[in-house]
Amino acid sequence: MKPLLEVKNLVTKFYTVDGVVHAVNDVSFYLNRGETLAIVGESGSGKSVSMMSILGLLPSPPAKIERGEAIFDRDNGSVDLLKLSPKALGDIRGGEVGFIFQDPMTSLNPILTIGKQITETLIRHKGVSSNEARERALDLLERVGIADPALRFGNYPFQLSGGMRQRVMIAIAVACHPKLVIADEPTTALDVTIQAQIVDLFKQLRESMKMATIWISHDLGLVASLADRVLVLYGGQVVETAKVDDLYERGMHPYTLGLLGAVPGLRVEEGKRLVSIEGAPPDLMIKIEHCPFSWRCPNAQERCWVERPQLKLIEDEHHVACFLFD
């Protein structure tokens, strides 16, 4: 079956006064219909920038997409999102592709009511009347677990708790029944109880609406029960990708093993200390032509410092970029 989204050789840079930041370096992946792909890695690994690149959400300048394709399969044919005009991309973004941002307080408009922010999405993409948009918005607020939606419809973002604001963000993202929803660490700013509620809500909506989803996270423990496949990014590059069970049972890249070892309850014996990955992520102001993990890797060889490993298929849908598996 043709993928819903196929990203090929994406390269994104930021041209700043201090130099060029090589944020995303030749990232490729695919997403099937109805599938959930988790993108994991430390802060600065290129997770959010990759997703914002394909939807035209980065400020230009300083951001510039140097190369790549993002083939999105629409009902009326496939399009390359990176080659669309801002207007054409705006027709897809919010309508066929929803985006849930990390911090709803800074993502929601503080001077518009939440009802206005939901209805404007429906009117823009579905062409419904104001009254019909209001009815749909009230139904959405109820579906995402907002108590007394008629009252909350007229509230401003500052009048809601963090968990309620995130539910509103989810309502906006799924309002037009998109084919794909991208969630950028939507539970990071919430306490663990609310996190669990948001994850359960997201699962319910995903199943009922038959959406494909991309979940960006640094928490491997969270995505274990959420994703079908996992993509591991480091230094703006893909270092491993596999089905979720395969990755957790037989993670291969040294960086992946470090991430798994740092999660309580995963591969950690009672009384044994969690794994700590020594060192710091690479400076992306430097163009890395070799393995980006070589500075921190306990298994680094001479070859790792002079050549960049390419993703290689090890077994069924399990790819690793490491010379240990040549």
Side-chain angles (χ1 to χ4, degrees):
M1 183 182 294
K2 190 176 183 180
L4 175 64
L5 175 67
E6 188 172 12
V7 176
K8 302 176 182 178
N9 309 116
L10 179 64
V11 176
T12 302
K13 299 178 183 179
F14 290 86
Y15 290 85
T16 72
V17 293
D18 297 318
V20 180
V21 179
H22 303 271
V24 179
N25 303 297
D26 202 28
V27 166
S28 299
F29 65 90
Y30 68 90
L31 178 72
N32 294 319
R33 285 172 176 74
E35 183 181 37
T36 296
L37 174 69
I39 301 181
V40 301
E42 293 170 287
S43 296
S45 60
K47 307 184 299 296
S48 298
V49 174
S50 297
M51 296 303 101
M52 296 176 80
S53 293
I54 66 178
L55 290 181
L57 293 173
L58 294 176
S60 179
K64 183 179 180 182
I65 299 173
E66 297 279 345
R67 187 174 75 247
E69 295 180 334
I71 308 301
F72 182 65
D73 190 23
R74 306 181 73 186
D75 292 337
N76 57 354
S78 297
V79 294
D80 185 350
L81 298 177
L82 301 184
K83 291 182 170 59
L84 294 179
S85 67
K87 182 182 183 306
L89 190 56
D91 291 338
I92 294 175
R93 188 177 57 225
E96 297 178 56
V97 180
F99 203 107
I100 304 171
F101 294 94
Q102 182 172 345
D103 185 0
M105 191 59 190
T106 57
S107 302
L108 293 170
N109 192 322
I111 62 171
L112 295 179
T113 64
I114 63 169
K116 172 65 175 176
Q117 296 185 59
I118 299 173
T119 56
E120 67 179 1
T121 299
L122 291 164
I123 294 170
R124 164 70 172 82
H125 293 284
K126 293 298 184 181
V128 299
S129 66
S130 298
N131 288 336
E132 186 177 350
R134 176 184 170 84
E135 292 303 315
R136 291 195 189 186
L138 292 174
D139 179 62
L140 279 166
L141 289 174
E142 185 174 2
R143 290 186 68 178
V144 298
I146 299 287
D148 199 352
L151 173 64
R152 296 302 183 184
F153 186 89
N155 284 167
Y156 291 88
F158 73 87
Q159 295 176 289
L160 307 180
S161 66
M164 291 177 71
R165 286 194 293 266
Q166 196 58 276
R167 291 172 188 270
V168 171
M169 283 294 302
I170 294 173
I172 294 173
V174 304
C176 298
H177 290 258
K179 295 181 177 66
L180 166 63
V181 170
I182 300 173
D184 187 3
E185 302 198 52
T187 62
T188 298
L190 307 175
D191 63 62
V192 291
T193 303
I194 304 301
Q195 280 184 11
Q197 294 175 5
I198 295 298
V199 170
D200 287 342
L201 169 64
F202 194 81
K203 288 179 180 178
Q204 293 168 13
L205 293 172
R206 179 189 64 187
E207 294 299 322
S208 64
M209 295 185 174
K210 309 299 181 185
M211 303 180 301
T213 55
I214 296 177
W215 187 282
I216 301 170
S217 181
H218 61 271
D219 186 347
L220 270 77
L222 174 66
V223 303
S225 63
L226 189 65
D228 299 305
R229 286 187 300 114
V230 181
L231 187 79
V232 183
L233 286 185
Y234 183 80
Q237 301 177 31
V238 180
V239 296
E240 187 166 3
T241 178
K243 294 179 181 178
V244 63
D245 292 338
D246 195 15
L247 186 92
Y248 282 80
E249 292 173 6
R250 292 177 293 163
M252 296 181 178
H253 195 281
Y255 178 61
T256 305
L257 295 175
L259 292 177
L260 292 172
V263 179
L266 290 175
R267 300 185 177 187
V268 180
E269 299 174 5
E270 186 175 352
K272 186 177 180 180
R273 293 179 63 86
L274 297 176
V275 171
S276 175
I277 303 175
E278 299 296 331
D283 182 0
L284 296 180
M285 298 284 283
I286 303 170
K287 186 176 182 180
I288 303 172
E289 302 285 3
H290 54 78
C291 175
F293 193 58
S294 53
W295 286 283
R296 308 170 74 184
C297 182
N299 304 309
Q301 309 166 15
E302 183 178 348
R303 184 183 181 187
C304 302
W305 294 97
V306 296
E307 187 179 347
R308 177 181 164 185
Q310 301 298 314
L311 274 176
K312 294 186 177 180
L313 179 63
I314 304 300
E315 51 196 3
D316 182 30
E317 295 190 64
H318 196 150
H319 295 77
V320 182
C322 182
F323 293 127
L324 292 174
F325 303 98
D326 274 3

